[in-house]
Amino acid sequence: SANQLITQELNTLFSYNLLMQPAENFIIPWHENLHGHSDSFLDTILDEAVTFHSPVVFRPIEGIELTKAYLIAAGNSFNLNEFKYTNELHVGTNSILEFETKIDEIFVNGVDMIEWNDQGKIISFKVMIRPYQAVEKVKEKMQEALEALKNV
């Protein structure tokens, strides 16, 4: 009957909307802590087996400890006073966040691609950056920041 078809269609749409919700909720602690003074939230938001894809390192970075080191280095490199997300898209357990910042007068435009597990932990974090001068500047600053972390 028509009522059964409508009910079935509504259930499908309702299920689809539920699938779209997780990433929108999972991203909240990321935004709340991004400009904070503590990196400890990374322990609660990153999965133990997280993979980080850096825009300046060819191979993926595996595991929570190395991923934390790279994210902390990025935070120290990216001039967080100027850093801002300009656009976001959340679908299912995926978030795509476009960002802008300036590093040493070089304009940086990029995208964070985050994949979440069902528990709200990041299992994959990929960063892409443009233009080319920005990639070179980020590489320089990341090398400096990683060196500084090694010496701590």
Side-chain angles (χ1 to χ4, degrees):
S1 79
N3 280 345
Q4 286 176 319
L5 286 175
I6 291 170
T7 301
Q8 188 176 7
E9 191 64 28
L10 286 173
N11 286 337
T12 302
L13 287 172
F14 181 69
S15 298
Y16 181 72
N17 283 336
L18 283 178
L19 289 174
M20 292 183 66
Q21 294 302 321
E24 284 182 64
N25 295 323
F26 295 158
I27 198 69
I28 293 169
W30 177 260
H31 285 306
E32 289 175 345
N33 291 281
L34 184 66
H35 293 286
H37 299 291
S38 173
D39 303 315
S40 62
F41 83 99
L42 293 173
D43 290 318
T44 61
I45 201 169
L46 295 174
D47 187 77
E48 287 291 326
V50 64
T51 302
F52 180 75
H53 301 269
S54 168
V56 295
V57 177
F58 178 71
R59 65 178 176 76
I61 309 303
E62 302 285 342
I64 191 170
E65 292 306 319
L66 282 175
T67 297
K68 277 177 26 183
Y70 272 81
L71 287 172
I72 291 167
N76 294 337
S77 304
F78 271 45
N79 186 9
L80 288 180
N81 293 330
E82 298 258 346
F83 184 95
K84 67 178 181 249
Y85 285 113
T86 58
N87 200 2
E88 292 187 30
L89 177 65
H90 306 282
V91 178
T93 54
N94 292 281
S95 298
I96 300 173
L97 299 92
E98 182 179 8
F99 63 84
E100 293 178 355
T101 191
K102 254 184 150 173
I103 305 173
D104 296 343
E105 301 306 312
I106 303 281
F107 173 75
V108 179
N109 176 229
V111 175
D112 289 338
M113 299 172 67
I114 301 172
E115 184 179 354
W116 308 89
N117 66 17
D118 292 337
Q119 290 76 45
K121 293 188 179 267
I122 296 172
I123 56 175
S124 177
F125 198 116
K126 184 183 295 184
V127 181
M128 295 192 225
I129 292 177
R130 63 166 295 279
Y132 181 73
Q133 298 93 326
V135 174
E136 289 296 309
K137 182 54 75 174
V138 167
K139 182 177 180 182
E140 171 193 325
K141 293 294 185 180
M142 284 290 290
Q143 287 171 334
E144 291 171 12
L146 288 169
E147 280 299 317
L149 281 176
K150 265 203 285 189
N151 297 325
V152 171

